[in-house]
Amino acid sequence: MLSTMKTDCLPNSGTWHQQLLIEQALSTWVIDPDSFTIVFSNKAAQELFGYSEEDFSAINFLDLFIGACRVNFFHKISIKPPAITQVCHFANQNKTTLVAELHAVSASKDENDYYQVTIVDITERIHTQQKLQEEHARYKTYIEQSFEGIFCQEFTVPLPLDLSLEDMI
């Protein structure tokens, strides 16, 4: 069953294309680049942000952004480029912060311009990267300050495996 929001705005709005946008796993919207109104949202966007179709139709897309990301997106989209890619911070209905890669592609339908905006939630990836960097810094500090006789050596030539311990040193 197709969404009750306006699907006639979708480019190539055959039933197959509409169903693809509605059912895909990535959060997707179709927005009007002049007013930033959300013309269409798929199920993944509704689940990630906690809004219903009706809620999204009443929200300005820029209101989902946090801080400088809103201004950056506004300036980029105001020159109407064919595509936009950037990392942004969003707030869902519960005011939880999400970090996401945003991809927006322009499309036209019946003399009207739209942007199909898709985001990939990378919040967990960002937190994992930060955790790994902290662990690496702790490990490096331990190695540098340890009195336990830990040596780090880089070899430019691989050592043969059949050498005795004395030959390796």
Side-chain angles (χ1 to χ4, degrees), residues 93-125:
Q93 189 177 30
N94 299 330
K95 303 300 182 206
T96 304
T97 300
L98 306 169
V99 181
E101 286 183 11
L102 176 141
H103 305 280
V105 179
S106 66
S108 295
K109 171 90 174 169
D110 301 327
E111 306 287 323
N112 294 318
D113 292 328
Y114 297 100
Y115 272 89
Q116 178 179 322
V117 180
T118 302
I119 68 164
V120 178
D121 185 4
I122 60 171
T123 307
E124 188 173 325
R125 185 177 84 190

Side-chain angles (χ1 to χ4, degrees), residues 97 99 122-132 134:
T97 300
V99 181
I122 60 171
T123 307
E124 188 173 325
R125 185 177 84 190
I126 296 294
H127 290 305
T128 303
Q129 284 176 340
Q130 289 171 344
K131 201 173 184 180
L132 283 172
E134 291 169 4

Side-chain angles (χ1 to χ4, degrees), residues 10-164:
L10 300 176
N12 305 324
S13 63
T15 305
W16 178 83
H17 189 255
Q18 290 175 358
Q19 195 66 32
L20 180 67
L21 286 176
I22 292 168
E23 297 296 334
Q24 77 169 335
L26 298 176
S27 300
T28 303
W29 299 268
V30 174
I31 64 166
D32 180 338
D34 297 321
S35 65
F36 298 102
T37 55
I38 299 172
V39 180
F40 168 83
S41 67
N42 71 351
K43 293 177 184 176
Q46 295 162 19
E47 290 173 7
L48 182 62
F49 281 81
Y51 293 109
S52 67
E53 287 178 316
E54 294 76 28
D55 294 338
F56 267 132
S57 64
I59 295 173
N60 185 305
F61 187 71
L62 294 177
D63 292 340
L64 298 176
F65 289 87
I66 297 175
C69 293
R70 176 183 300 137
V71 175
N72 291 341
F73 182 75
F74 175 78
H75 287 301
K76 285 183 179 181
I77 206 167
S78 64
I79 59 173
K80 299 193 191 267
I84 299 169
T85 299
Q86 69 183 59
V87 174
C88 300
H89 292 79
F90 294 92
N92 65 11
Q93 189 177 30
N94 299 330
K95 303 300 182 206
T96 304
T97 300
L98 306 169
V99 181
E101 286 183 11
L102 176 141
H103 305 280
V105 179
S106 66
S108 295
K109 171 90 174 169
D110 301 327
E111 306 287 323
N112 294 318
D113 292 328
Y114 297 100
Y115 272 89
Q116 178 179 322
V117 180
T118 302
I119 68 164
V120 178
D121 185 4
I122 60 171
T123 307
E124 188 173 325
R125 185 177 84 190
I126 296 294
H127 290 305
T128 303
Q129 284 176 340
Q130 289 171 344
K131 201 173 184 180
L132 283 172
Q133 288 172 348
E134 291 169 4
E135 290 293 324
H136 177 71
R138 271 199 306 240
Y139 174 74
K140 186 176 177 184
T141 302
Y142 174 74
I143 295 296
E144 290 172 350
Q145 297 176 357
S146 176
F147 297 107
E148 298 297 320
I150 298 173
F151 297 96
C152 296
Q153 184 174 358
E154 292 185 23
F155 296 102
T156 56
V157 179
L159 293 175
L161 294 175
D162 59 350
L163 288 178
S164 66

